[in-house]
Amino acid sequence: MQKIINGLILFLLVFQFTHLKAEVKPTFVRSADTTNVNQAIGVTLTPDGTRIHFSQYGTSPVITQYDLSIPFNVSSIDTASIVTLNVNSGDSGDFLVSNRLEGHTFNSDGTKLYAIDMAGNMNVHSLSTPYDISNFSKDADDGVDWATFAAGEGGSDSARRSHGIRFNNDGTKMFLMDVNGTVGIAEFNLSTPFLPGSASFGNFFAITENSVTIQDFDFDDDGTRMYVIESNEASTNNKIYVYKLSTGFDTSTATFVGSVANVFSAAGADGSAGGMRFAKNGMKFYQVTWASTLKNKVFEYDLSCPFGIVICEADVATAIGAQAEIAKNIIYQNSNTIFKRFDWLRRNEEKRNLNSHNIKLDINNPILASFKHKLENSLKHNLENSLNNNQFIHASLKDKNPFKNMRNWSHWSHVDISFGRVGEKGFIKPKDIRTRGIMFGADKLIDNKIFGLAFRYGNDDVKIDTGLGSKLDAQAYTLNMYGSLPLDGKSNLNTLIGASFLSIDQLVKNTVTGERYGRQIFTSMIYENENEYTRHNLTPFGKFEIGITQLSEYTDFGTSATNSVDVHERLTFKTGNASGGFKFDDTVYLDNKTLNRNGFVEYIFDLTPDIDHFYKNHIDNTTVRKTIKKHSLHNIRGNIGFEYMNVNGYTFAINYERFQSLSNSAYSDSLLFKLGKKQVNQANFDVIYDPTNNNNTEISYLKNFGNFKLKIDSNYSLFSKIPDYGANLEISGTF
């Protein structure tokens, strides 16, 4: 009965959104003359919006390049920066294009330029500098006549007249617009990415909704929406048609959604529509005119949502990708904290009091993740020394242990705060991530083995850089069961099993638009061999982690601005990684002082497969698949540090760490300086300076008053015109 009621509520809400929605269309911002370009027929902008290119339709087909002094602002065209490339047959050492030019496009990194004319002739140029046509070399003719190649496949005509060219993101598909006879989009499969000569026919999508000549087309960032524009001298007849593709860049799955008219109405004059393009983030739309009064114009429009023409949809791929990252982060935070507990136990294996209460500060993202280790260890080290007495009875965790059957439980707590940014990858938007968590655990030593239980509450706040104020607010409750098993010699196998319950709110401008629930189960294990290899005490280790997460179906009701309702199906996915490396730790004892050299090298292999998610929008009720791909498959992390301590307890430490992706150019560098002093009255004072994090400086004072602990800390950003600073006072008790 409850399902019937929920279904009725959903139907009424969708009905209301469907009938009250406003027309979603571009908002005119500004226009500019295309100056030296007569009859502009095509337009492209570089991903950063600092350069614009035009195709010229006239009898002298050229591609013209200008710089934009203000990114994405067409009124800032720098006419003095003009560069032209004549693509006419025989000119500039080029070939083939003897008819009127109809459009151009680039490959994904801007090192290839493709031009096509109305007769289907195509030429390709290689650019030594991406998106810069001032330095080019021509590619060999592919030998294909695109006017007749695969002509008639899927259509009734025997020849083609090309009016536009596009590729999918990875260059494995090419699309040509045909306006001769049966009008539509011809789709080709490329066996070699971005090489037209390797094409085989894939599909022909006939366009039957238009009433006049179509001129150009474009896709959104993941190919699940396709846009087609008409060309007519009357501005009221210029329409943009929108199609949904249930599988990205597969025109066989396209269905018509709707159209908008009066594209030029805000400009107050007529003009025949030429080429069209979106800005990379989908929040701007550009168009040129090639005939009538406005034949030398480029128009700039704002969009109310990414690629928002006819239909507004949330950035599903980025939102679902963020939900998957939250699930991975929950597993990471739990396993990392518990494995740090094992490290702490073994560092203090000769102490009977195994209670600990820790605070952890973590910078956590794919590029800056490794920064956390030394700062975390520094804070933990100071806490451990201040929260435990200086008098201990031997309680070794290995063969020195005199308490083989110790039954007393040791308790511990842990607070973590992490923040970072996940950069843009393909059509996935950047995300700012902040995580806060608190963990309580208890464990005991039985016959040289460790067994324990731990509970963690975590909150993940993810802000998505879409320009719409989108974010996710997630709560997670996790129960862990963990253990450590000594193996032969000084080897150990640390394992844990965890189960989590998740609650995720999706918000736009602080308004909840959707609620999703989930659950997950995961396991993680690490093998360490603590035999002393070489005088540097090398410790090989290997780690394996895998989890399964299931997120419930949910409805994203959008806002009054987007007028969009998305119904998302249940999502089940796996995550995991395998890593291996070695740690080293070597201490040199000098007169009244010590020098410690430490670090590690780790290779990380991401086992997470691509994640397919399915949803449908209320406007067309078409199920769409979004694929979230992993960022980097192969990664390596290296760390080296030095710590000096004298007899009075003064310490100085410096640590450098680098995270490097082997799959792409992503990397991060971290450098940390530490000054400290351990005093006999159980008070610690630390000054930590990080030049790679806005010159952030943290000053902390920690003192033990019996069962109570007092901590005062402050941070300050040096050399900043508007410095960031704050102070914090904490009082805690020992159970």
Side-chain angles (χ1 to χ4, degrees):
M1 185 64 183
Q2 186 63 41
K3 290 185 177 180
I4 296 176
I5 295 174
N6 292 339
L8 180 60
I9 294 173
L10 176 60
F11 172 79
L12 292 174
L13 288 170
V14 171
F15 180 85
Q16 181 183 20
F17 271 86
T18 303
H19 287 77
L20 296 180
K21 71 181 185 69
E23 184 179 35
V24 181
K25 62 184 298 184
T27 300
F28 174 73
V29 178
R30 59 180 66 90
S31 64
D33 292 333
T34 55
T35 59
N36 296 314
V37 181
N38 182 32
Q39 295 183 293
I41 199 67
V43 60
T44 57
L45 284 91
T46 55
D48 62 2
T50 59
R51 185 166 288 167
I52 192 168
H53 297 87
F54 299 107
S55 296
Q56 181 171 283
Y57 175 72
T59 55
S60 176
V62 298
I63 295 175
T64 304
Q65 169 183 300
Y66 294 102
D67 292 338
L68 299 178
S69 57
I70 303 175
F72 300 105
N73 186 327
V74 297
S75 64
S76 69
I77 290 177
D78 179 8
T79 56
S81 66
I82 184 172
V83 178
T84 60
L85 172 61
N86 194 325
V87 293
N88 194 26
S89 178
D91 293 335
S92 299
D94 208 350
F95 53 91
L96 286 180
V97 180
S98 57
N99 292 277
R100 294 177 183 269
L101 186 61
E102 286 289 354
H104 71 275
T105 195
F106 293 90
N107 65 348
S108 58
D109 63 3
T111 57
K112 293 280 187 181
L113 170 66
Y114 305 81
I116 194 165
D117 73 354
M118 67 168 58
N121 297 313
M122 184 192 304
N123 59 41
V124 184
H125 291 79
S126 295
L127 309 179
S128 58
T129 301
Y131 302 104
D132 185 358
I133 65 174
S134 61
N135 294 290
F136 66 88
S137 60
K138 63 179 182 179
D139 288 9
D141 186 1
D142 56 25
V144 178
D145 183 357
W146 295 101
T148 59
F149 181 73
E153 296 281 358
S156 60
D157 55 301
S158 59
R160 301 194 186 280
R161 175 174 170 173
S162 301
H163 265 202
I165 177 173
R166 297 290 189 275
F167 294 92
N168 66 344
N169 293 333
D170 61 8
T172 57
K173 287 190 176 185
M174 181 179 71
F175 304 86
L176 299 177
M177 173 171 279
D178 176 24
V179 299
N180 192 19
T182 302
V183 176
I185 308 294
E187 176 184 326
F188 302 92
N189 298 315
L190 305 183
S191 58
T192 302
F194 295 106
L195 182 63
S198 67
S200 61
F201 180 76
N203 183 62
F204 185 86
F205 177 72
I207 298 173
T208 59
E209 289 76 22
N210 69 301
S211 57
V212 294
T213 302
I214 60 174
Q215 179 58 48
D216 201 6
F217 70 107
D218 205 0
F219 294 93
D220 69 347
D221 53 359
D222 64 354
T224 56
R225 274 178 278 177
M226 182 172 68
Y227 305 81
V228 176
I229 194 166
E230 282 184 339
S231 179
N232 189 278
E233 292 191 10
S235 62
T236 56
N237 290 333
N238 282 306
K239 292 183 179 180
I240 300 176
Y241 300 90
V242 181
Y243 302 84
K244 285 286 293 292
L245 285 68
S246 58
T247 301
F249 296 106
D250 184 353
T251 57
S252 67
T253 67
T255 57
F256 178 66
V257 176
S259 64
V260 293
N262 303 324
V263 177
F264 289 127
S265 59
D270 293 339
S272 295
M276 59 180 286
R277 283 286 173 150
F278 291 94
K280 186 177 181 180
N281 65 0
M283 294 301 293
K284 280 188 176 292
F285 172 74
Y286 301 86
Q287 186 187 344
V288 292
T289 52
W290 66 275
S292 191
T293 12
L294 300 179
K295 68 178 182 179
N296 298 317
K297 289 282 189 179
V298 55
F299 295 84
E300 176 187 331
Y301 302 85
D302 282 342
L303 302 178
S304 59
C305 61
F307 304 94
I309 300 179
V310 174
I311 180 174
C312 256
E313 293 181 312
D315 191 343
V316 174
T318 301
I320 300 303
Q323 294 174 19
E325 288 294 331
I326 288 173
K328 293 174 66 175
N329 190 47
I330 292 169
I331 298 174
Y332 169 79
Q333 293 289 351
N334 281 274
S335 64
N336 184 63
T337 301
I338 291 175
F339 287 147
K340 290 297 182 183
R341 171 64 175 173
F342 289 131
D343 290 342
W344 188 88
L345 288 171
R346 290 193 168 82
R347 280 201 310 271
N348 297 273
E349 61 185 0
E350 295 182 356
K351 300 176 183 178
R352 184 173 183 179
N353 180 4
L354 298 179
N355 299 331
S356 70
H357 301 272
N358 303 322
I359 294 177
K360 172 185 173 185
L361 179 62
D362 183 15
I363 299 177
N364 177 28
N365 63 40
I367 302 303
L368 297 176
S370 57
F371 173 77
K372 65 184 177 59
H373 295 294
K374 293 307 292 183
L375 184 53
E376 172 189 332
N377 290 340
S378 171
L379 293 176
K380 283 187 175 182
H381 177 71
N382 293 323
L383 284 168
E384 290 154 9
N385 289 334
S386 62
L387 294 177
N388 294 287
N389 295 324
N390 292 327
Q391 299 294 326
F392 299 101
I393 301 175
H394 264 316
S396 173
L397 299 183
K398 301 191 182 72
D399 54 349
K400 299 178 182 179
N401 179 23
F403 303 100
K404 293 291 185 180
N405 295 295
M406 187 177 68
R407 298 186 179 275
N408 292 330
W409 286 83
S410 299
H411 56 270
W412 57 276
S413 62
H414 181 93
V415 177
D416 59 84
I417 302 173
S418 65
F419 54 92
R421 182 174 176 85
V422 178
E424 188 171 18
K425 179 69 174 179
F427 54 84
I428 304 297
K429 304 297 187 299
K431 300 178 286 291
D432 292 307
I433 301 174
R434 183 178 63 179
T435 301
R436 294 160 292 184
I438 183 169
M439 200 168 191
F440 298 96
D443 45 45
K444 65 188 305 184
L445 183 66
I446 303 176
D447 293 331
N448 236 17
K449 305 176 183 65
I450 300 172
F451 171 79
L453 296 171
F455 174 81
R456 180 181 186 272
Y457 165 77
N459 172 245
D460 287 80
D461 185 10
V462 181
K463 294 182 179 180
I464 303 174
D465 190 6
T466 61
L468 299 177
S470 302
K471 68 176 183 179
L472 299 175
D473 185 13
Q475 318 288 325
Y477 306 86
T478 307
L479 180 64
N480 299 275
M481 183 169 59
Y482 60 91
S484 180
L485 177 66
L487 302 178
D488 294 337
K490 294 185 178 181
S491 299
N492 301 286
L493 180 64
N494 304 330
T495 63
L496 69 89
I497 298 176
S500 302
F501 174 78
L502 292 71
S503 174
I504 303 175
D505 289 340
Q506 185 167 305
L507 300 92
V508 176
K509 295 182 178 178
N510 296 320
T511 299
V512 177
T513 62
E515 297 178 349
R516 191 169 209 177
Y517 300 95
R519 52 191 177 181
Q520 68 179 183
I521 186 169
F522 59 90
T523 184
S524 184
M525 59 186 67
I526 184 170
Y527 170 83
E528 292 183 343
N529 188 328
E530 296 187 5
N531 288 295
E532 297 180 357
Y533 295 100
T534 79
R535 63 187 182 88
H536 298 292
N537 297 334
L538 295 182
T539 303
F541 68 91
K543 183 179 178 182
F544 176 78
E545 186 173 271
I546 190 170
I548 300 176
T549 303
Q550 184 180 82
L551 300 178
S552 67
E553 61 182 19
Y554 81 107
T555 301
D556 177 10
F557 292 101
T559 65
S560 58
T562 60
N563 296 297
S564 179
V565 177
D566 293 325
V567 179
H568 298 263
E569 295 183 5
R570 178 180 296 180
L571 176 62
T572 302
F573 58 92
K574 300 176 182 178
T575 60
N577 59 70
S579 64
F582 61 87
K583 306 174 185 178
F584 63 90
D585 191 325
D586 180 28
T587 301
V588 178
Y589 296 91
L590 308 173
D591 292 337
N592 297 324
K593 61 183 75 71
T594 61
L595 177 65
N596 178 266
R597 297 167 291 187
N598 58 80
F600 65 85
V601 175
E602 180 182 17
Y603 165 76
I604 306 167
F605 182 80
D606 191 350
L607 300 173
T608 304
D610 295 341
I611 300 172
D612 288 332
H613 176 69
F614 297 89
Y615 76 102
K616 57 185 176 182
N617 186 271
H618 77 284
I619 292 181
D620 57 356
N621 205 36
T622 300
T623 299
V624 177
R625 179 182 66 185
K626 293 280 188 177
T627 300
I628 295 90
K629 296 181 179 294
K630 52 195 165 192
H631 281 259
S632 179
L633 186 64
H634 305 280
N635 310 276
I636 192 167
R637 181 182 293 141
N639 177 292
I640 186 170
F642 301 90
E643 184 170 16
Y644 166 85
M645 176 182 292
N646 66 15
V647 69
N648 296 319
Y650 289 99
T651 65
F652 171 76
I654 182 172
N655 188 270
Y656 170 75
E657 186 163 307
R658 183 178 179 92
F659 177 93
Q660 178 69 58
S661 168
L662 302 180
S663 303
N664 51 53
S665 60
Y667 69 94
S668 70
D669 292 294
S670 300
L671 186 63
L672 183 70
F673 296 95
K674 175 186 174 183
L675 294 172
K677 185 180 189 302
K678 179 183 176 183
Q679 299 180 5
V680 295
N681 59 357
Q682 295 186 327
N684 288 336
F685 177 77
D686 277 325
V687 179
I688 301 174
Y689 169 57
D690 179 11
T692 64
N693 185 23
N694 197 28
N695 294 292
N696 188 68
T697 303
E698 180 177 345
I699 302 173
S700 66
Y701 176 80
L702 182 64
K703 184 173 178 59
N704 186 0
F705 296 95
N707 291 332
F708 292 94
K709 287 81 185 174
L710 171 68
K711 179 180 179 182
I712 303 174
D713 61 17
S714 177
N715 64 283
Y716 192 84
S717 298
L718 299 177
F719 313 119
S720 176
K721 294 181 179 179
I722 306 178
D724 296 327
Y725 59 89
N728 186 49
L729 173 66
E730 297 180 13
I731 300 177
S732 60
T734 302
F735 301 100

